[in-house]
Amino acid sequence: MRWNMIVLASCLLAAGCAGNSMAERQDADIQSSLQYDTVPCDQLLAQRNGLAQQYNLSTKAKPTFSNPAMGFGPFTPDMRSKAKRDTDKVTGEIDAMNRSIDRRQCGQPDKQKKLALPS
């Protein structure tokens, strides 16, 4: 039994050190929204909606993270399928786009100026 635990621990260490850990790859899916601040609002909205439609996701998609047992996250190998990894990456892109859209208030009607009669 003790030998099995040593072998299991070494396998987990090797899996995590190879850059293929679940935690490392999920962290890489999160993107900065600053890269989208230079994209015009109408183009950014169309790009986000196109990605969401292509991958059959909501336009309000947010990244999710797995919950590995007892601190083994950096050592747990990424066992997700390629389709799931691609979907998670696109979810991170959509979330970054949404943060840029919200910050710049894209798609919201301009506040109307109060009309006043001259006095």
Side-chain angles (χ1 to χ4, degrees):
M1 179 69 177
R2 186 175 180 163
W3 179 250
N4 290 342
M5 293 301 286
I6 292 172
V7 170
L8 177 63
S10 0
C11 289
L12 287 175
L13 273 171
C17 293
N20 190 26
S21 72
M22 176 76 87
E24 185 177 358
R25 286 200 171 175
Q26 285 181 330
D27 285 345
D29 292 338
I30 305 300
Q31 296 187 13
S32 171
S33 62
L34 297 176
Q35 64 183 327
Y36 297 108
D37 285 353
T38 57
V39 179
C41 283
D42 56 344
Q43 185 179 350
L44 184 59
L45 286 165
Q47 186 178 353
R48 180 206 56 190
N49 293 343
L51 270 177
Q53 185 177 15
Q54 180 181 352
Y55 284 87
N56 200 22
L57 296 168
S58 166
T59 57
K60 298 292 181 188
K62 294 231 180 245
T64 57
F65 296 95
S66 66
N67 190 9
M70 309 216 349
F72 284 110
F75 307 110
T76 306
D78 189 2
M79 304 292 273
R80 299 175 295 167
S81 67
K82 179 170 177 8
K84 175 68 172 149
R85 285 193 310 264
D86 290 345
T87 301
D88 288 349
K89 184 175 190 278
V90 169
T91 301
E93 290 178 33
I94 290 173
D95 182 50
M97 290 177 190
N98 283 335
R99 285 183 275 132
S100 177
I101 289 167
D102 291 343
R103 183 175 47 255
R104 296 187 299 156
Q105 299 177 347
C106 294
Q108 296 179 358
D110 294 333
K111 293 182 181 178
Q112 294 182 359
K113 296 177 184 175
K114 260 188 173 177
L115 294 177
L117 295 173
S119 43

